Amino acid sequence: MKKIWIPVILWALCHSLTFAQRQQIDKVIGVVGNHIILQSDVEAQLKSLKSQSQGVDLPEDARWLVFDQLLANALMLAEAEQDSILVGDMEVQAQLDARVTQILAYMNNDPQKFKEFYDMTPSEMKDFMRDQMKDQLVQQKMQQQIMSSITITPKEVKDFFNGIPSDSLPYFNSEVELAEIVIKPKINPIEDARARKLARNLMLQIVEDSVDFEVLAKKYSDDRASAALGGNLGVQARGTLVPEFEAMAYQLKPGEVSEVVKTEFGYHVIQLINRLGNTINTKHILIRPDITTEDREGAYQELDSIRNLILADSINFAQGIALYSEEDFSKTRAGRIMNPMTGEPYFELGDLEPSIYFAIDGMKEGEVTKVIEYETRTGDKQFRIVKLLTRTEPHVANLKDDYSKIRKAALESKKGRFIIDWIDRKIADNYIEIKLENLGEQLTEAKACEALKKWFDANSVRP
């Protein structure tokens, strides 16, 4: 029977689906080593799966597949303890900060909306999820250790593909591969000076007038995600933040406020919360210089001139990327735009930003768009020209055109089988107990689930 690999933590579970349920249903139904599975754990994840299924019916035994997965998760934690796999508090905090910041971004950085939805403040959410997050990170490290040596050969990819019935082969929609040249508007001296002056004024209010840092961050910072948290950037590992920011932040003492620091994002006022080794927790206030209409027009004209050079064959597109593009992420990938949903340089047409979708409509491979203005995730206005590198027609999957996708699927399938086999082997090495008496009327149904058979067998012969 095919096994479903269910996420360890379903972050979107709100307070009522976890804490409140545990108050109502507190029966222990499974034990693996020192780890317990509550009936409320199963119910909460089952409800979340139903809410995410978008109307698609779950398998009849979905409840017991969830129970099976929770037992497997507990087994991984038990094995991780034996292998001394540890996760530090700062690493846990960094993940919690990142998750909460992401959720706040979806809510327009409004802490009140967050509290209304989750019945918790962002800080309370972090505390509530701390233990679950730590378990998740330990399990991730355990999985990485288990599967670190797994590779796949071309023959295995071919065998995997040939094992798919011809009437079950996936159908791929039309896809495009794109490259870009990006020009960013240059900040004029007047706006640059205005931003620096404001940042310094805010710094002096904090240092000399004892104005609360968080109050000013919420009111003035142009980093709206952190502004909602009083400027708190959360715990960050060294190398995560831009060099100029880090160079200043690592010089500060806890509670100390920096001089104004300039980075590619604007002007920062930084306060160190704490530092542990190569991890750091800071607050900041970001002031961005405004980009004027004239600044944007200058960038547009610069990029249009580069496009004309390419169209006149004075330079080719690759040379244009190397000489002029100001987007470092795509520049290091020969200008290729990466699909954020897949991490691959291929887009189905429906996944494209509207500005690109309409710009390449009707274009042939090798052609270049006119200049396109677009907005980055941080709200910056920039300009790009896009070259259509390849376009595939809708087709049934085949090894020639879709090898990289098929290889990825084959590797994931191999990893899935390997982890299932690993769990089957490790069950014998751990204390397993299924609380039969607490399953009550559902015991017969649970025993009928093929995925749980190995756990019941281990329960009957536990040491």
Side-chain angles (χ1 to χ4, degrees):
M1 180 176 184
K2 187 175 181 181
K3 189 169 181 178
I4 300 174
W5 192 257
I6 299 167
V8 177
I9 290 181
L10 300 169
W11 179 260
L13 288 179
C14 65
H15 195 207
S16 61
L17 288 182
T18 49
F19 180 70
Q21 268 198 327
R22 286 194 177 196
Q23 288 183 315
Q24 299 167 11
I25 308 172
D26 59 359
K27 292 181 181 178
V28 176
I29 57 175
V31 181
V32 180
N34 297 320
H35 303 275
I36 65 171
I37 293 93
L38 299 175
Q39 187 171 343
S40 59
D41 294 328
V42 175
E43 297 299 329
Q45 292 216 21
L46 187 62
K47 280 195 174 185
S48 182
L49 285 174
K50 287 178 179 177
S51 70
Q52 295 176 38
S53 66
Q54 298 181 337
V56 178
D57 291 336
L58 297 177
E60 290 184 5
D61 58 352
R63 178 187 308 278
W64 307 117
L65 293 175
V66 169
F67 187 28
D68 168 49
Q69 188 60 63
L70 291 174
L71 288 165
N73 292 343
L75 179 66
M76 281 201 177
L77 289 173
E79 285 292 316
E81 289 170 358
Q82 295 180 38
D83 289 358
S84 299
I85 292 177
L86 302 174
V87 173
D89 292 341
M90 296 289 276
E91 187 176 353
V92 175
Q93 186 65 44
Q95 288 294 322
L96 290 168
D97 290 338
R99 298 289 181 93
V100 168
T101 298
Q102 184 180 32
I103 293 172
L104 276 168
Y106 291 139
M107 297 179 172
N108 295 319
N109 299 307
D110 187 340
Q112 186 58 38
K113 286 183 180 179
F114 188 103
K115 190 174 190 308
E116 290 172 0
F117 185 82
Y118 289 104
D119 195 24
M120 284 183 279
T121 65
S123 179
E124 289 169 341
M125 170 67 91
K126 292 177 188 179
D127 290 339
F128 178 72
M129 295 297 296
R130 196 170 304 278
D131 290 340
Q132 294 97 315
M133 178 60 72
K134 186 171 185 177
D135 286 349
Q136 183 187 34
L137 294 175
V138 169
Q139 289 171 57
Q140 287 176 353
K141 285 191 175 183
M142 191 69 208
Q143 286 189 46
Q144 289 168 3
Q145 177 176 298
I146 294 166
M147 297 187 289
S148 61
S149 61
I150 299 177
T151 58
I152 195 161
T153 66
K155 182 180 183 305
E156 288 177 309
V157 175
K158 185 177 180 180
D159 289 344
F160 172 82
F161 179 76
N162 291 336
I164 303 173
S166 58
D167 59 355
S168 298
L169 288 171
Y171 185 84
F172 292 132
N173 294 322
S174 177
E175 290 185 326
V176 294
E177 186 180 8
L178 307 167
E180 66 179 357
I181 297 174
V182 174
I183 295 295
K184 303 175 182 180
K186 309 300 185 293
I187 299 164
N188 71 69
I190 295 175
E191 288 301 322
D192 187 71
R194 181 202 62 80
R196 178 188 285 273
K197 183 178 180 180
L198 174 57
R200 178 162 177 76
N201 179 267
L202 295 173
M203 182 272 291
L204 291 174
Q205 288 186 53
I206 297 165
V207 174
E208 297 182 359
D209 301 332
S210 300
V211 178
D212 187 88
F213 192 105
E214 294 189 4
V215 170
L216 294 180
K218 289 177 180 178
K219 184 175 181 179
Y220 291 102
S221 182
D222 290 322
D223 179 2
R224 300 317 303 166
S226 69
L229 302 173
N232 197 324
L233 289 169
V235 179
Q236 304 282 350
R238 187 185 284 274
T240 305
L241 302 167
V242 290
E244 302 90 344
F245 188 105
E246 283 195 353
M248 175 60 74
Y250 274 88
Q251 295 177 32
L252 300 175
K253 298 175 182 178
E256 188 177 4
V257 176
S258 73
E259 290 287 341
V260 174
V261 179
K262 184 176 183 179
T263 75
E264 62 187 272
F265 298 104
Y267 291 97
H268 307 257
V269 180
I270 307 167
Q271 183 177 48
L272 178 65
I273 299 173
N274 58 57
R275 173 186 172 186
L276 182 61
N278 283 326
T279 56
I280 195 169
N281 190 358
T282 58
K283 301 176 192 174
H284 84 143
I285 298 171
L286 172 65
I287 304 299
R288 294 176 181 272
D290 288 337
I291 301 294
T292 66
T293 301
E294 291 76 15
D295 298 332
R296 291 203 301 273
E297 180 63 24
Y300 177 94
Q301 294 297 339
E302 180 183 355
L303 187 53
D304 192 49
S305 297
I306 295 168
R307 177 177 181 270
N308 288 332
L309 289 174
I310 293 169
L311 296 181
D313 290 329
S314 297
I315 60 173
N316 59 40
F317 201 87
Q319 290 171 325
I321 293 167
L323 291 171
Y324 302 110
S325 187
E326 297 174 348
E327 174 49 64
D328 293 338
F329 183 78
S330 62
K331 190 171 183 177
T332 58
R333 292 161 177 77
R336 281 171 173 75
I337 305 174
M338 306 302 286
N339 188 332
M341 293 186 290
T342 65
E344 300 286 339
Y346 304 102
F347 292 81
E348 289 191 11
L349 295 178
D351 295 336
L352 289 170
E353 298 172 22
S355 61
I356 296 179
Y357 176 88
F358 290 111
I360 68 169
D361 186 36
M363 279 176 42
K364 298 177 182 178
E365 291 183 1
E367 292 184 339
V368 178
T369 66
K370 294 181 178 179
V371 176
I372 304 167
E373 184 175 20
Y374 70 104
E375 188 172 297
T376 69
R377 280 190 242 177
T378 57
D380 293 327
K381 298 283 188 180
Q382 298 181 355
F383 295 90
R384 59 166 43 133
I385 54 174
V386 176
K387 181 177 181 179
L388 178 59
L389 299 176
T390 62
R391 184 198 296 268
T392 64
E393 296 300 321
H395 64 282
V396 175
N398 63 82
L399 281 171
K400 179 182 177 183
D401 298 322
D402 309 301
Y403 182 84
S404 63
K405 293 179 182 177
I406 295 166
R407 182 187 180 281
K408 185 176 181 180
L411 181 59
E412 290 305 310
S413 176
K414 185 176 181 180
K415 287 180 177 180
R417 294 193 306 273
F418 187 90
I419 201 73
I420 291 171
D421 292 342
W422 181 89
I423 289 169
D424 289 347
R425 293 195 308 271
K426 292 296 181 179
I427 284 178
D429 299 333
N430 288 271
Y431 176 84
I432 308 294
E433 183 176 2
I434 307 297
K435 296 286 189 178
L436 306 179
E437 66 278 12
N438 287 341
L439 288 173
E441 296 178 356
Q442 295 180 319
L443 178 59
T444 301
E445 185 181 310
K447 284 188 171 182
C449 178
E450 184 66 26
L452 289 178
K453 184 177 185 303
K454 57 183 177 292
W455 301 105
F456 279 109
D457 289 345
N459 183 65
S460 64
V461 297
R462 63 180 184 268

